[in-house]
Amino acid sequence: MVDVEGPGVGGPDTAAGFIARLRDFHLECGEPSYQTLVDISEQLPDLYPDLLQWRDLPTLSRSTISDVLNRKRVNLPSAAWVVVFVLSCQRRALETCVLMDDPGLSVLPKWVELWQQARVAERS
């Protein structure tokens, strides 16, 4: 079952721990192909009209997904990238019946909070 609420929000996290959580979420969502995530990311404004509150959301790229999940980047991805990645994985899980109901944007506050904790830890 996909943990659509995102990881539990607890103490400070590390950048490596946060990336591991993203990787786990990707697996729990059925491990969609990177190209599928790219395609879904292009459709997010239509799938989630309330997403327009997030300005300048990126479109995912296969190379960036690979670099992030395989820890080939020095720094964490942006919060906007995390939002798009999480929603794209979640949407694919819904399309493939790994997830039966769409929690929509409700999962984002926990993911953004974890990103912020990892960011603080990364800068310490």
Side-chain angles (χ1 to χ4, degrees):
M1 170 153 230
V2 176
D3 181 7
V4 296
E5 291 299 316
V9 178
D13 206 353
T14 64
F18 181 76
I19 297 303
R21 289 173 188 223
L22 286 176
R23 208 172 27 250
D24 289 347
F25 187 71
H26 177 248
L27 290 171
E28 290 171 1
C29 288
E31 200 172 5
S33 74
Y34 296 167
Q35 185 59 54
T36 296
L37 295 177
V38 169
D39 295 342
I40 292 171
S41 74
E42 293 170 351
Q43 301 170 19
L44 286 180
D46 294 328
L47 296 170
Y48 301 103
D50 290 340
L51 194 59
L52 296 177
Q53 68 184 346
W54 295 81
R55 296 189 188 353
D56 301 322
L57 288 176
T59 298
L60 299 176
S61 72
R62 291 187 319 239
S63 61
T64 303
I65 296 168
S66 177
D67 287 351
V68 169
L69 295 184
N70 293 304
R71 296 178 57 199
K72 293 182 181 177
R73 297 186 126 212
V74 175
N75 297 318
L76 285 171
S78 69
W81 187 93
V82 172
V83 164
V84 172
F85 178 79
V86 167
L87 288 177
S88 296
C89 285
Q90 175 180 283
R91 186 64 186 196
R92 185 59 180 163
L94 182 67
E95 292 173 352
T96 58
C97 298
V98 171
L99 184 62
M100 300 315 271
D101 295 308
D102 188 356
L105 307 181
S106 67
V107 301
L108 298 180
K110 287 186 179 182
W111 280 103
V112 171
E113 184 174 347
L114 281 168
W115 175 86
Q116 290 170 332
Q117 291 173 355
R119 189 74 159 178
V120 167
E122 178 182 56
R123 292 183 176 186
S124 299

